[in-house]
Amino acid sequence: IGADPAKRKLIKKFINALLNDESGNYRMDAKDYQALGHSHQEIRQLVEKRHHKVAHYFGTGIGLELQYLDSCIAEEVMLNMIRNYNLAVLPIHDSFLVRADYAKQLADQMSSVFEKHTGSKTELKLDKALPDPDSNLVVIDGILDQSSLSTKVHIDYSMAYNYINSNPNASFYS
């Protein structure tokens, strides 16, 4: 359907609904179908074709299990950072905020905990810096290479470094 961010957001919402909707009743608003230029059935067929290796999970309600797994991974990463480095990391949705000098330790924890829980390795890639010119925030995304599926699935699992490393007077982090 294209790489337009507005369309991508609608498709992500659609796929999320497919993973959580056990009854098959989910429908987008008519304006969303119009924006995408396809009917519900056409979009479902396109999504199933593009994601054929996981399409059998659509309509099963597995989304809640995946959310729980994600929360277990995040919890263990945060606890490991406290135990191993005496450092609390701040979770923000699917990201972690941490001092820049602990970025490698956090990335190592994210990778090892992810592999422990899923049996698959993840690759962390450095994304572009965030747009705030006064910070050194960057985003790292994890890409799951799940050999059992022989496909790459993007994991919305990212981490951000905080600018605290360059701003020691900030009062909200010690």
Side-chain angles (χ1 to χ4, degrees):
I1 295 178
D4 174 31
K7 288 182 178 182
R8 185 175 191 277
K9 185 177 179 179
L10 291 173
I11 295 299
K12 285 180 76 171
K13 180 180 173 182
F14 185 86
I15 291 172
N16 189 48
L18 286 179
L19 290 170
N20 287 296
D21 183 18
E22 295 176 84
S23 65
N25 293 329
Y26 173 77
R27 296 294 183 270
M28 292 191 293
D29 293 332
K31 64 179 176 51
D32 294 337
Y33 292 116
Q34 186 176 8
L36 293 170
H38 294 279
S39 69
H40 175 85
Q41 192 57 35
E42 290 169 334
I43 294 170
R44 178 148 185 167
Q45 288 172 349
L46 289 168
V47 166
E48 286 178 354
K49 181 179 178 184
R50 173 72 173 95
H51 300 287
H52 65 280
K53 300 217 182 220
V54 295
H56 62 282
Y57 289 115
F58 296 157
T60 66
I62 196 170
L64 294 177
E65 292 177 45
L66 294 174
Q67 288 176 20
Y68 176 71
L69 175 62
D70 182 62
S71 72
C72 291
I73 291 169
E75 177 187 36
E76 189 169 336
V77 167
M78 291 183 289
L79 290 174
N80 286 352
M81 292 298 291
I82 291 170
R83 284 186 203 115
N84 298 338
Y85 306 104
N86 197 29
L87 181 76
V89 296
L90 177 64
I92 301 174
H93 184 49
D94 59 356
S95 302
F96 294 109
L97 203 57
V98 67
R99 285 189 351 226
D101 52 334
Y102 283 91
K104 181 183 180 333
Q105 291 87 341
L106 179 57
D108 290 346
Q109 286 299 316
M110 290 172 67
S111 294
S112 66
V113 173
F114 183 85
E115 185 173 358
K116 174 186 168 186
H117 283 269
T118 66
S120 298
K121 292 185 183 274
T122 186
E123 174 187 322
L124 299 177
K125 78 171 183 162
L126 185 62
D127 210 353
K128 64 183 178 189
L130 296 181
D132 182 356
D134 295 327
S135 76
N136 65 354
L137 289 169
V138 295
V139 175
I140 297 177
D141 285 329
I143 305 297
L144 166 64
D145 184 4
Q146 202 169 28
S147 55
S148 62
L149 295 178
S150 300
T151 188
K152 286 197 172 189
V153 179
H154 182 266
I155 299 301
D156 269 337
Y157 212 53
S158 53
M159 120 184 134
Y161 306 30
N162 196 316
Y163 73 96
I164 295 303
N165 196 37
S166 61
N167 186 3
N169 296 324
S171 61
F172 58 89
Y173 199 97
S174 58

